[in-house]
Amino acid sequence: MKKYLFWFFVGMGIVLFAYWAGGQVAWQKCNAQIQESGVVHQRIITEQIGRVNEKTFNTGVRDIRRVLCEKYTIAE
């Protein structure tokens, strides 16, 4: 009888370990999916900002300095 009881508890331990391991895998997949959706949303926001401020995104620092120098001179 002790032998059967021992194997019963060993079997239950294996089942509980498998259940716990499956939960961990599901938790990691869920976190990866949440992070991926965050990256997608950030990319969409960046693209929208780029479309709204296309002139600013495509203008270099030298061009901005040139425009400022043309508009605002020392004579003014």
Side-chain angles (χ1 to χ4, degrees):
M1 185 67 171
K2 289 183 182 182
K3 203 189 295 185
Y4 294 118
L5 194 58
F6 171 75
W7 287 112
F8 174 75
F9 284 121
V10 168
M12 288 302 292
I14 290 172
V15 169
L16 289 175
F17 177 76
Y19 180 77
W20 177 80
Q24 293 297 314
V25 169
W27 181 71
Q28 289 176 353
K29 284 183 180 180
C30 182
N31 280 343
Q33 189 177 22
I34 290 170
Q35 289 175 353
E36 181 64 30
S37 70
V39 168
V40 168
H41 287 296
Q42 187 64 36
R43 188 178 307 135
I44 290 170
I45 290 169
T46 303
E47 289 174 0
Q48 288 175 349
I49 290 172
R51 274 181 269 161
V52 170
N53 298 324
E54 187 175 343
K55 179 80 174 168
T56 305
F57 270 59
N58 295 327
T59 304
V61 174
R62 291 180 186 166
D63 190 39
I64 293 172
R65 286 182 183 168
R66 180 187 56 79
V67 170
L68 290 175
C69 286
E70 288 174 357
K71 284 187 174 183
Y72 306 103
T73 61
I74 296 175
E76 292 178 3

